[in-house]
Amino acid sequence: MRLLFGTFLLLFGTSFSSWSHGYHVSITQIDYNEKTNAIEIAIKLITEDVEFVLEEQGAERLFLGEKNETGKADEYIQKYLEKHFSVVLNDEITTQLYLGKEVEEGETWCYIEIKDVADIQSLKVKSTVFINEYHGQTNRVNLTIKGVTNSFVLSRAKVDDKVVFN
Amino acid sequence: MKKEFVIFISLILILNGLFAQEGGINENDFRQLKQELATPNVYRTASGAPGHEYYQQKADYQISVILDDEKQTLKGEETITYKNNSPDVLTYLWVQLDQNMRAKDSETKAIATNSINNGRMDAKNLKKLHNDFDGGFKLDYVKDASGADLPYVVNKTMMRVDLPKALKPGASYSFRIKWWYNINNRIKIGGRSGFEHFEEGDNLVYTIAQFFPRMAVYNDVEGWQNKQFLGRGEFTLPFGDYKVNITAPADHIIGSTGTLQNASSVLTKEQQARLKTAKTASEPVLIVTQEEAEAAEKQKATKTKTWIFHATNVRDFAFASSRKFIWDAIGVKLDDGSTTMAMSFYPKEGNPLWGQYSTRVVAHTVKSYSKHTFDYPYPVAISVHSKWNGMEYPMICFNYGRPEPDGTYSERTKNGMIGVIIHEVGHNFFPMIINSDERQWTWMDEGLNSFVQSMAESEWDSEFPTRRGPPAKIVDYMKGDKGNISPIMTNSESIFQFGNNAYGKPATALVILRETILGRELFDYAFTEYCNRWMFKHPTPADFFRTMEDASGTDLDWFWRGWFYGTEHVDLSIDNMIWFRLDTKNPDVEKGLLKTEKENEPRFIGTIRNDTAIPKTEVERDPNANDFYSKYDPFEVSVLDIEAYEKYLAKLDDEEKALINMGYNYYQVEFSNLGGLPMPIIVEFTFSDGSKEKQYIPAEVWRFNAESVSKVFVFKKEVTIVSMDPYLETADVDVSNNNWPRMIQKSRFEVYKSSKYGRRGAVSETENKMQKAKRAEEKAAE
């Protein structure tokens, strides 16, 4: 009971202000490139959220996208994503290659590639990105594989979802 | 047993009735909004203006509060005088107790759904978990004017005061409330208002709002708007006049809604003189300098001072108080001849950013919004520096944007600060003056305000990175899973993806309406008309929709339906283009054309190889193998052909003859609407000589067939490329199908990878430009 009360308070700290984006959402685009046999992933995060969360977890000030961005920014982001974002392909854990990020007008795009993907029978995406920090965090995933578009919404209530190709 | 049977039968009949209707329901995207909008009446007209019997209630306040800096509490007493302008008899009044949202029994906590992820929680969350802040209003009494106790019932964030005698139309009633509450630490537990603690000097900056019991709105659309305050749906408040006494430590500087009444007893002579200078100055003038504020920080007054503020025709009241405040101001002259004071209050931690920008941005916002709506009618417009939040009240707002301790700041911090000040000062217009119901419709103030904000930002700096307004910015949101998107016309508390829904999408819709559907001239007139009609009144969504249509002379029901009542996105596609030329029937022209066509036809590979493999065919070698058909040229023009053509010409008049000889090209372009949201088709044709032409087909082209349409375009020149939406004005989510012939669109990932990791090149330097310049300066001085 006491534990529950605490998570309620958490909501107060983060989702209040009228303008300074009281909403928390990420969008991930996953495409399968048949020419290169690679899965290409672009994750769009709100830069303020990336900084808030990573700095809360002990990272130095990041200054993402600024001229004085810390040299370790990519390392922090990569580590965070390794822990909180994963793709399971044909029921096997994949090796995700973090390529880098771009910061644009308040948004940070992170790029991940999964190489040597010969065939896709099933694809499961698990995302716990920012769900511990923001009560209302939703992580939307759009997949375009073999010409078919699927879309799912992950949140604290449902951290993973799977598409099966026949 | 028998009874159940009867019920079953009647159920079937009802269901049959429903099914029978289904086929007859009009589901056309262009059907009128009659069923969605309230029926016009004497209070609100069909044209969207206030009706001849429009009324609104009035609530006047006399408030005295004491800010206790040691205990961080606020104690208050108020007299509310409520005027019943409605035609209805009221037996009770509803009063809002917003601070109760932070009370221990708050419903906000009860209805929040949550779970502890994997049973893990970090130290910071654990700390929050053990926070037992005792928030909420503690009511000492509720009495009538003579001092007799009034019966009241507190229902969480709402209080019902039962009137001893019913309040008749036209009558007024005064009653008194005494209360106190603990002020929350805004940084630790959040909130729109509260205090921030500064380690250095152990000082506080208070930004105080929702600090007194406030009247709820009673009107013709909601009755009493007494929907609980759950934290997100903001405030719905009646207009009134305020007389407020604020008692605070004697060394505090106070910025507040309203006009200061006792400057001579709370300000020094010098401060009063500076304030006077500021009124006509061309640059912001410091009323309290940084040095003076730093001196004040070093000691704490034991005495108190009472500041008196009066405000006329406002819907709320807020203030900020601290001994840390630097204060600057400048007079802004408006077209109607009045002067408003643009002012800022900020601790030294806000400098150098705040000293340079805040007041200038306030002045710009007041001028820019006045141009798009009406002249700002209040005497002051204030921006207070308040870390991490942006929150608006009449004449005063609290804004973020703090530089680094070394005085440098990132470009994002600067633009964030300028953007938030424009936004929050802009809220004076929506909803402080154009007083919509925030508890019900967040978009009516946030969406309209974000729209005008985008114009004010462009007027501040043409390169300003406006986040909400440009159509391409809303695409990622709109193309998403519709299960996670609500229509804009959804109650404030039930919206998924709040920021995009209530700020971004309506702002974008208005940008599209202005730039693409109506054009600036029609739009600006109608929008300004809406603002003036509902200035100091309470509009509803229908009043906005109707005014925009009535004043622009355009049926926009389809637009409101698609953008405000639906969740579909825009995805128009060019599926095909077929080229036709007119048959001139002139044998000289047509046969020539046919001949060229025939010659240009693709040839089978075997035939091409035979050209060389067979030096001479039998027919070529032996003249006796030839006859009439061997030599017959189907493209040769005969006398008979010419005669037929002359006969044909004789039947045509001169105009028809001219048209045929012009040699026009006819292009049939086939479009489909894949997204579902109908939008105008904007196509640009590129011709073989490189020139271009843009054509605009109104959205009504989809009225008979919502899925696909075809359209014929006529040009003298030959078309090489057709592109749809070339200036990114419709929020089309998939631009890969916007060209004919198709063009390959690279994904974001591909662009990133092909530009060798980063389209802007390497960004990581170890210091920002301001820091680098500073270091260079220091080195030079050595």
Side-chain angles (χ1 to χ4, degrees), chain A residues 63-69, chain B residues 410-413 763-765:
Chain A
F63 301 102
L64 289 178
E66 300 298 335
K67 305 292 186 303
N68 57 332
E69 179 179 298
Chain B
S410 67
E411 200 174 2
R412 184 145 46 84
T413 301
V763 278
S764 293
E765 280 179 40

Side-chain angles (χ1 to χ4, degrees), chain A residues 45-96:
Chain A
L45 303 168
I46 296 169
T47 305
E48 278 173 35
D49 293 350
V50 182
E51 292 189 335
F52 179 80
V53 170
L54 294 185
E55 287 164 17
E56 281 290 291
Q57 294 191 349
E60 63 197 77
R61 291 289 308 275
L62 298 173
F63 301 102
L64 289 178
E66 300 298 335
K67 305 292 186 303
N68 57 332
E69 179 179 298
T70 167
K72 286 165 82 182
D74 278 302
E75 195 183 311
Y76 288 121
I77 293 174
Q78 180 175 3
K79 276 193 183 147
Y80 184 86
L81 288 177
E82 274 169 9
K83 212 164 140 189
H84 292 277
F85 181 87
S86 61
V87 173
V88 175
L89 190 67
N90 308 334
D91 297 321
E92 277 175 38
I93 292 167
T94 56
T95 309
Q96 294 169 208

Side-chain angles (χ1 to χ4, degrees), chain B residues 147-180:
Chain B
D149 281 338
L150 280 173
Y152 66 89
V153 174
V154 174
N155 175 9
K156 313 289 189 219
T157 62
M158 290 286 164
M159 173 170 72
R160 192 190 71 229
V161 176
D162 299 335
L163 298 173
K165 220 177 79 189
L167 186 61
K168 296 213 170 100
S172 291
Y173 184 73
S174 291
F175 62 108
R176 290 156 49 197
I177 302 174
K178 188 178 178 194
W179 75 97
W180 71 275

Side-chain angles (χ1 to χ4, degrees), chain B residues 238-250:
Chain B
F239 287 106
D241 300 334
Y242 285 67
K243 291 179 177 171
V244 181
N245 299 344
I246 304 165
T247 303

Side-chain angles (χ1 to χ4, degrees), chain A residues 2-13 16-21 23 25 27 29 31 33 40-41 44 47-48 51-52 56 61 63-69 83 99-106 109 111-113 128 131-133 135 138 140 142 151-153 156 159, chain B residues 101-102 109 112-117 121 124-125 128-131 189-192 234 388-392 400 404 410-412 420 423-424 446 453 465 467-468 473 476-477 479-481 484 497 499-500 503 748-750 752-753 757 759-760 763-769 771:
Chain A
R2 288 193 77 177
L3 269 173
L4 281 177
F5 179 66
T7 43
F8 298 142
L9 278 176
L10 182 61
L11 160 80
F12 282 53
F16 249 51
S17 21
S18 162
W19 187 77
S20 56
H21 95 276
Y23 67 108
V25 62
I27 296 176
Q29 179 67 42
D31 294 297
N33 187 333
E40 302 171 341
I41 304 169
K44 182 171 86 172
T47 305
E48 278 173 35
E51 292 189 335
F52 179 80
E56 281 290 291
R61 291 289 308 275
F63 301 102
L64 289 178
E66 300 298 335
K67 305 292 186 303
N68 57 332
E69 179 179 298
K83 212 164 140 189
L99 298 182
K101 55 132 191 8
E102 284 180 296
V103 184
E104 244 178 41
E105 288 165 32
W109 289 85
Y111 300 97
I112 293 171
E113 192 172 23
T128 53
I131 63 168
N132 290 321
E133 288 77 15
H135 167 77
T138 50
R140 202 168 69 220
N142 298 329
S151 183
F152 36 76
V153 177
R156 197 180 286 206
V159 298
Chain B
M101 197 220 42
R102 214 163 277 114
K109 299 167 190 171
T113 53
N114 40 43
S115 59
I116 295 164
N117 204 51
M121 192 170 264
K124 183 167 175 169
N125 290 340
K128 280 181 177 163
L129 193 115
H130 290 285
N131 187 318
I189 61 172
R192 287 178 171 80
E234 287 184 327
W388 288 356
N389 86 331
M391 189 56 211
E392 70 277 10
Y400 64 79
E404 298 304 315
S410 67
E411 200 174 2
R412 184 145 46 84
V420 76
H423 182 93
E424 306 304 349
E446 296 297 356
Q453 178 192 353
R467 286 166 65 198
R468 289 168 175 144
K473 298 256 173 217
D476 284 329
Y477 163 72
K479 76 176 172 194
D481 191 321
N484 199 32
Q497 307 191 48
N500 282 320
Y503 295 61
R748 236 196 124 82
F749 184 96
E750 286 164 331
Y752 177 77
K753 236 191 141 178
Y757 300 174
R759 63 196 80 192
R760 297 193 306 188
V763 278
S764 293
E765 280 179 40
T766 49
E767 55 191 353
N768 70 29
K769 281 197 175 142
Q771 284 166 329

Side-chain angles (χ1 to χ4, degrees), chain B residues 741-752:
Chain B
R742 284 274 186 271
M743 288 179 193
I744 306 292
Q745 300 285 331
K746 275 191 177 175
S747 75
R748 236 196 124 82
F749 184 96
E750 286 164 331
V751 173
Y752 177 77

